[in-house]
Amino acid sequence: MTARGWFLFSLMGVVWGIPYLLIKVAVDAPLSPSMVVFTRCALGAVLLMPFAIRQGGLPRTVRTHWRPMLAFACIEIIGPWWTLTDAERHLSSSTAGLLIAGVPIVGVALARFFGDTERLGIRRMTGLGLGLAGVGVLTVPHLTGGDARSLAEVLVTVLGYATAPLIAARYLKDVPTLQLIAPCLALSALVYAPAAAVTRPAELPSTEVLAALAALGAVCTAVAFVAFLELIKEVGPTRATVFTYVNPAVAVAAGAIFLDEPLTAGIVAAFTLILVGSVLATAAGPKRGPGPVTWSTRQTSRADGRVECP
């Protein structure tokens, strides 16, 4: 993977490793899932739309690609963001983040139905397996609380997160990043506006909650989506989602540094598995060398009587 790809990969590992904490702060306020998703999408759209318009040709882009854009918006944002936010009313933020780390494995399976857009070798499959093992080491101690509905909602989110990049890579690769994500966020905000209005809080939320919503919309939505779509174009849809293996490690590291949570041998082992797995899973596949030369048996007669084999 290129230096640019590694930068985008590292950025995504961090900026999509903290939304679970921010969402938890918001729903514990308590704000409704619809209000959280609306605020996140509206803020992201407001920040990105001027840049998308400045590029020119936005209406034509939407008219030409509205079907896959609508599918991307529904599968990546409108459905998964609500189910994830609603699940965090009952699940801890770390549990939600750990479960989301199953996205790359689901993505590998779904890629077969999209024409196997990426070639997977033994090295990358081993990396995916090691990363999943590391996530498992982190997950087992944290899988407490919640109910069947919340776990099912997270699984719906996983399915959406694994499917949407494949749609973007296959049908939207020629669409400028800003002209894809800005309209999708605007549409999502419109969808949730009525429910957000009905469930809006009677009083202005605390400064902590407002800061969480601002960071969720500006950093974890606007900045993160631009980086994510650029990462898909850089490394492909399957490798792009491997950063979800790093998200749980980011959550555990933040807890150890800022909350004095214990850093056990099991966590260190999980870090190692996740990092090694990520490197292997994001590695480029082996290059195919030139095929064998095929010699034709057809002969050509020259004017001087000699024979050539082309």
Side-chain angles (χ1 to χ4, degrees):
M1 190 157 61
T2 64
R4 181 174 183 269
W6 274 115
F7 170 76
L8 293 171
F9 181 87
S10 302
L11 179 64
M12 289 307 305
V14 175
V15 298
W16 269 359
I18 60 175
Y20 311 102
L21 171 63
L22 302 176
I23 291 172
K24 190 66 174 177
V25 171
V27 296
D28 284 350
L31 296 179
S32 70
S34 297
M35 186 68 192
V36 175
V37 176
F38 166 76
T39 305
R40 180 180 184 180
C41 293
L43 182 55
V46 168
L47 292 174
L48 296 180
M49 189 62 75
F51 297 99
I53 294 174
R54 186 178 300 177
Q55 288 181 338
L58 179 58
R60 182 175 63 255
T61 297
V62 173
R63 286 195 304 269
T64 304
H65 302 280
W66 71 268
R67 289 184 179 86
M69 290 177 69
L70 177 61
F72 181 85
C74 292
I75 296 173
E76 174 71 24
I77 303 172
I78 295 175
W81 284 10
W82 191 92
T83 54
L84 176 62
T85 305
D86 188 61
E88 285 205 42
R89 294 190 299 133
H90 305 287
L91 293 175
S92 68
S93 61
S94 59
T95 298
L98 292 169
L99 292 173
I100 293 296
V103 168
I105 298 300
V106 178
V108 169
L110 290 175
R112 299 296 176 262
F113 295 98
F114 282 79
D116 193 18
T117 57
E118 294 188 51
R119 183 171 177 264
L120 298 175
I122 295 177
R123 179 171 55 177
R124 290 179 58 194
M125 290 298 295
T126 301
L128 289 168
L130 288 175
L132 185 61
V135 171
V137 172
L138 286 175
T139 301
V140 173
H142 292 82
L143 284 180
T144 58
D147 55 18
R149 173 183 168 176
S150 298
L151 294 174
E153 286 178 325
V154 177
L155 292 178
V156 169
T157 304
V158 168
L159 184 61
Y161 284 178
T163 305
L166 298 172
I167 294 175
R170 181 160 185 172
Y171 301 105
L172 299 167
K173 61 182 178 180
D174 296 326
V175 177
T177 298
L178 292 174
Q179 295 194 0
L180 168 59
I181 195 56
C184 288
L185 288 174
L187 173 63
S188 303
L190 288 175
V191 168
Y192 282 105
V198 172
T199 60
R200 68 184 185 277
E203 299 180 354
L204 186 68
S206 67
T207 302
E208 180 185 26
V209 174
L210 292 177
L213 290 175
L216 193 61
V219 178
C220 301
T221 300
V223 173
F225 252 130
V226 172
F228 181 45
L229 292 173
E230 289 299 315
L231 182 61
I232 292 175
K233 294 177 181 179
E234 183 77 16
V235 303
T238 304
R239 278 189 284 166
T241 59
V242 176
F243 71 82
T244 55
Y245 279 153
V246 182
N247 295 160
V250 170
V252 172
I257 295 172
F258 299 108
L259 301 177
D260 295 324
E261 294 177 351
L263 188 62
T264 65
I267 292 176
V268 173
F271 267 121
T272 304
L273 289 171
I274 289 171
L275 293 177
V276 173
S278 296
V279 171
L280 293 176
T282 55
K287 295 182 179 180
R288 296 181 180 180
V293 177
T294 302
W295 296 96
S296 173
T297 58
R298 182 172 55 87
Q299 295 181 334
T300 304
S301 297
R302 289 173 41 142
D304 58 6
R306 290 186 296 175
V307 177
E308 289 184 332
C309 291

